[in-house]
Amino acid sequence: MGKNDFLTPKAIANRIKAKGLQKLRWYCQMCQKQCRDENGFKCHCMSESHQRQMQIFGQNSDRIVSGYSEEFERNFLDLMKRSHRFSRVAATVVYNEFIHDRHHVHMNSTQWATLTEFIKYLGRTGKCKVEETPKGWFITYIDRDSETIFKEKMKNKRLKLDMVEEEKQEKEIQKQIEKAEQFIKPLESEDNENKVVPKELNLESGVKIGFSLGAGNVSKGEKGESSNAARLVFEEEENEKRRKKSESKENGGRKNALEELMREEEKAKERSNRKDYWLCEGIVVKVMSKALASKGYYKQKGVVRKVIDRYVGETEMLESKHVLRVDQEELETVIPQIGGVVRIVNGAYRGSNARLLGVDTEKFCAKVQIEKGAYDGRVLKAIEYEDICKVA
């Protein structure tokens, strides 16, 4: 067996040493060779093969550096897209994952001397959202994939169609209300014409009205006059009572018709706005996922910063400021104190902001008053906890 054969102890030891990651400063990008120590790197730089590669580099250095820079940027963004597509993460975490590959393009062969310069470059070019914090640089990948853009356009299109359908329903309901008012107006005019004008009872001087409860010695003339006067008085009273009853019935019928129209309107809006998804941006939610209990997020509150595909919320925790992607099945709405502002996240008045007036703990519902918009001032006496959520 030769001195440097494949199965000699020295060759095996060398392979074991070279198996793991070595220091990046002892890596030659042009030769793609990793040296184990400073002495080995010095010997490599003095070798003929390295000198030939450096001659090639000297002929067109800018082109080679730009090529390595483009490859480094492309591989870094591919890693971000695969591993941290929808999350805000520290730049050092991503870089440590990137250099796990032994044969990656090293930073010292690119146009950027430090990781900070590279992160600032990504922020300037709009490829990532960059934030500087006391804990270091944080980046968020900006997805510009054609498929994602197409999905976003389709989502916006569906939202516009939903808005158009709601406007059509509101216009139809408004037409029904106008028809009902036109139908009620002629009834009111007929009632005004049929009203009995009260007349004064003018009695001649000396004439008295009497009531005969038994047989007496009264003359026939006096009997006739007194009975006629009494009949007039009672007829006027009966007419007045009938008039009041008819007015009350008309007002009640008018109110019933309007109430019926309002109930139909609410039912139609409930059918159109009741969805199986309720997440929206800017609300405070509580994480109820027991899988996240080991990391300390169970029953912790956060603010929904972004909604992904309707059912997943990108939530920023209030205490730790960490950003999590959690499904709505593992989230719960938060009810503020009485007087606080809530958003109606499901049902007939979906998307409206309201003021919390009271809470019924027995029936698990709340009383709210809508603020702003077309339904400003309307009070909802019993809305379920799941349909309202605190506004951040």
Side-chain angles (χ1 to χ4, degrees):
M1 188 178 288
K3 191 173 183 181
N4 294 320
D5 284 344
F6 185 75
L7 294 176
T8 58
K10 186 172 181 64
I12 294 172
N14 288 338
R15 285 199 300 274
I16 291 172
K17 288 178 183 177
K19 188 176 182 181
L21 288 174
Q22 307 294 322
K23 287 193 176 182
L24 300 181
R25 61 179 177 174
W26 294 330
Y27 182 86
C28 178
Q29 186 68 55
M30 285 297 296
C31 304
Q32 294 184 354
K33 179 176 176 59
Q34 175 71 58
C35 300
R36 283 200 295 272
D37 53 21
E38 186 177 2
N39 186 38
F41 187 71
K42 185 178 179 181
C43 293
H44 169 72
C45 291
M46 295 172 64
S47 64
E48 292 182 6
S49 61
H50 180 76
Q51 295 296 327
R52 285 196 299 271
Q53 291 293 334
M54 293 311 294
Q55 287 177 2
I56 296 170
F57 178 78
Q59 292 174 2
N60 198 347
S61 58
D62 293 338
R63 181 179 177 184
I64 293 173
V65 170
S66 63
Y68 283 138
S69 301
E70 289 175 4
E71 187 178 354
F72 179 85
E73 179 186 347
R74 183 173 63 253
N75 294 338
F76 190 90
L77 291 176
D78 286 343
L79 176 63
M80 281 286 296
K81 185 177 179 180
R82 287 195 310 270
S83 303
H84 310 283
R85 189 168 186 173
F86 300 108
S87 58
R88 174 177 170 267
V89 65
T92 53
V93 173
V94 184
Y95 183 69
N96 288 333
E97 292 178 5
F98 180 75
I99 64 176
H100 275 317
D101 181 14
R102 286 187 63 196
H103 302 292
H104 71 278
V105 178
H106 288 60
M107 178 82 73
N108 55 13
S109 62
T110 65
Q111 63 187 14
W112 306 288
T114 61
L115 179 62
T116 302
E117 291 182 10
F118 177 62
I119 297 303
K120 289 180 179 179
Y121 164 78
L122 292 179
R124 285 196 305 270
T125 54
K127 294 172 182 176
C128 287
K129 183 181 177 182
V130 178
E131 299 176 53
E132 186 179 8
T133 65
K135 295 182 179 180
W137 289 91
F138 282 79
I139 54 177
T140 307
Y141 181 71
I142 298 175
D143 194 354
R144 300 189 184 278
D145 189 12
S146 58
E147 184 179 353
T148 307
I149 295 171
F150 177 74
K151 285 183 180 178
E152 192 70 24
K153 286 182 180 179
M154 292 300 294
K155 180 182 176 182
N156 294 333
K157 189 176 180 181
R158 284 194 296 271
L159 290 174
K160 287 180 181 179
L161 289 174
D162 292 341
M163 293 292 291
V164 170
E165 288 179 1
E166 287 181 7
E167 290 178 359
K168 285 181 180 178
Q169 289 177 355
E170 288 180 0
K171 285 180 181 179
E172 289 178 0
I173 291 167
Q174 191 65 30
K175 286 180 181 179
Q176 291 177 0
I177 293 172
E178 291 175 357
K179 286 181 181 178
E181 289 177 352
Q182 291 175 1
F183 178 73
I184 289 168
K185 282 180 181 178
L187 292 177
E188 288 179 351
S189 60
E190 289 178 4
D191 294 337
N192 292 331
E193 290 175 359
N194 294 331
K195 281 183 181 178
V196 178
V197 179
K199 296 180 180 179
E200 294 184 1
L201 181 61
N202 297 322
L203 299 177
E204 296 178 1
S205 59
V207 176
K208 295 180 180 179
I209 299 173
F211 299 92
S212 178
L213 301 175
N217 297 324
V218 184
S219 64
K220 293 179 180 179
E222 291 177 355
K223 254 187 198 178
E225 291 176 359
S226 61
S227 62
N228 289 332
R231 195 179 299 114
L232 285 171
V233 172
F234 287 121
E235 283 178 358
E236 287 179 1
E237 289 179 356
E238 287 177 2
N239 290 333
E240 186 69 21
K241 288 179 182 178
R242 287 173 186 169
R243 185 176 62 80
K244 287 180 179 179
K245 284 182 181 179
S246 63
E247 286 180 357
S248 64
K249 285 181 180 178
E250 288 166 9
N251 292 331
R254 200 176 305 126
K255 287 179 182 178
N256 290 334
L258 291 174
E259 288 175 359
E260 187 67 28
L261 285 172
M262 288 176 67
R263 279 196 292 270
E264 288 180 3
E265 178 186 0
E266 287 189 358
K267 286 179 182 178
K269 289 182 71 64
E270 178 72 21
R271 286 193 297 270
S272 62
N273 290 337
R274 176 65 63 177
K275 310 288 185 183
D276 60 344
Y277 55 90
W278 54 270
L279 282 178
C280 58
E281 296 178 2
I283 59 174
V284 180
V285 294
K286 185 184 289 186
V287 178
M288 301 303 293
S289 173
K290 292 184 179 179
L292 298 173
S294 60
K295 298 182 180 179
Y297 298 125
Y298 183 59
K299 289 192 175 180
Q300 296 296 315
K301 296 178 183 178
V303 181
V304 178
R305 296 301 183 191
K306 185 179 179 182
V307 180
I308 302 165
D309 295 333
R310 296 185 179 180
Y311 300 96
V312 179
E314 194 170 289
T315 308
E316 182 182 353
M317 307 309 294
L318 295 179
E319 292 184 1
S320 61
K321 300 299 180 183
H322 293 169
V323 179
L324 309 176
R325 287 176 58 202
V326 189
D327 192 88
Q328 71 171 11
E329 295 295 331
E330 297 175 339
L331 296 174
E332 189 178 82
T333 58
V334 175
I335 307 298
Q337 295 181 352
I338 294 175
V341 179
V342 297
R343 182 169 297 164
I344 302 174
V345 295
N346 213 343
Y349 302 96
R350 183 189 185 105
S352 302
N353 286 351
R355 184 79 57 181
L356 184 65
L357 302 180
V359 176
D360 189 348
T361 54
E362 294 180 357
K363 297 181 180 178
F364 301 101
C365 60
K367 181 180 180 182
V368 298
Q369 183 178 14
I370 298 176
E371 293 184 344
K372 299 180 181 179
Y375 306 102
D376 185 15
R378 182 170 293 184
V379 177
L380 309 179
K381 295 182 179 179
I383 185 168
E384 295 182 0
Y385 288 163
E386 292 80 7
D387 293 345
I388 58 174
C389 191
K390 181 180 178 181
V391 176

